[in-house]
């Protein structure tokens, strides 16, 4: 049985081969760079804020998927 993760989830965005997200704690804009397309197209990933080192699960919806913030 798996435990629920206590890591907070935030919404990120794709830009080129970079995933961008803003830390809600310190409002620092972070980015994750990818050289290969396979890990770039994953919908979720875990990353740390570079300034405050808080760990987040970043949710990056696909361009063709429905709006994650307003699922109707």
């Amino acid at each position: 049985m798996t435990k629920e993760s206590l890591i907070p989830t935030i919404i990120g965005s794709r830009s080129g081969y970079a995933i961008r997200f803003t830390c809600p704690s310190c409002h620092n804009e972070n980015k994750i760079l990818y050289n290969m397309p396979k890990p770039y197209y994953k919908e979720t990933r875990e990353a740390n804020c570079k300034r405050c080192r808080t760990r987040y699960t970043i949710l990056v919806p696909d361009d063709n998927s429905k709006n994650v913030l307003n699922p109707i």
Side-chain angles (χ1 to χ4, degrees):
M1 192 163 130
T2 60
K3 275 203 275 187
E4 288 290 323
S5 177
L6 297 177
I7 300 173
T9 303
I10 59 174
I11 304 291
S13 64
R14 289 188 171 108
S15 172
Y17 275 108
I19 305 296
R20 297 181 182 271
F21 66 97
T22 303
C23 177
S25 300
C26 66
H27 304 290
N28 185 36
E29 184 174 338
N30 298 288
K31 64 182 174 182
I32 306 167
L33 295 175
Y34 287 103
N35 294 334
M36 302 299 290
K38 188 174 182 179
Y40 171 75
Y41 287 107
K42 287 176 34 179
E43 288 191 18
T44 62
R45 63 197 42 84
E46 290 187 6
N48 293 337
C49 173
K50 294 194 186 303
R51 183 184 292 167
C52 66
R53 302 287 186 211
T54 307
R55 188 149 187 90
Y56 295 106
T57 300
I58 297 136
L59 178 65
V60 183
D62 190 16
D63 294 336
N64 298 328
S65 66
K66 294 181 181 178
N67 189 357
V68 174
L69 297 176
N70 189 10
I72 295 177

